[in-house]
Amino acid sequence: MSKRFVTWKKTLLLLSMGSAAFFAVPFAPGACAQYLSNADVVGFYQEVGDQSIDAAFDPARNVWGATSDFTLIVVEPTIDVFQTVWDHWVWSSFPRDPVPTF
């Protein structure tokens, strides 16, 4: 595939992801007055990051075993550090939702 075709496919994918995120949530059944907020985006990125970090460390758990000393002493604390750094980055990257005053 040409570079231009790949770029076009990536653009279409990002546009479809954006439209799904911003239009599916407000118009979902039972969510008429609910809109996508910064807290929803933060929660989404935290969940995706946590699952990605877990998936990245699954090979280490499979090689050493879930209850081995290496997994308990090295792998699990390392996962916790990466998830904490990821969560902090996400929280610092998105502004807080403004509190409406009525």
Side-chain angles (χ1 to χ4, degrees):
M1 282 189 265
S2 68
K3 193 176 205 180
R4 183 177 177 154
F5 185 67
V6 171
T7 304
W8 179 247
K9 284 176 64 176
K10 286 180 182 178
T11 304
L12 287 177
L13 176 68
L14 288 174
L15 286 173
S16 65
M17 288 170 58
S19 64
F22 290 108
F23 292 111
V25 174
F27 299 113
C32 296
Q34 181 181 1
Y35 295 99
L36 189 65
S37 65
N38 290 341
D40 296 331
V41 175
V42 166
F44 171 75
Y45 278 111
Q46 283 180 336
E47 184 67 28
V48 168
D50 290 346
Q51 289 179 2
S52 300
I53 291 168
D54 279 338
F57 282 96
D58 276 344
R61 287 187 191 122
N62 292 339
V63 168
W64 296 99
T67 59
S68 70
D69 288 340
F70 182 79
T71 302
L72 296 176
I73 296 172
V74 176
V75 175
E76 294 300 330
T78 306
I79 291 171
D80 292 341
V81 167
F82 277 110
Q83 286 178 340
T84 302
V85 169
W86 176 256
D87 291 345
H88 183 267
W89 177 82
V90 169
W91 272 106
S92 64
S93 297
F94 292 98
R96 301 296 158 261
D97 291 321
V99 177
T101 55
F102 294 103

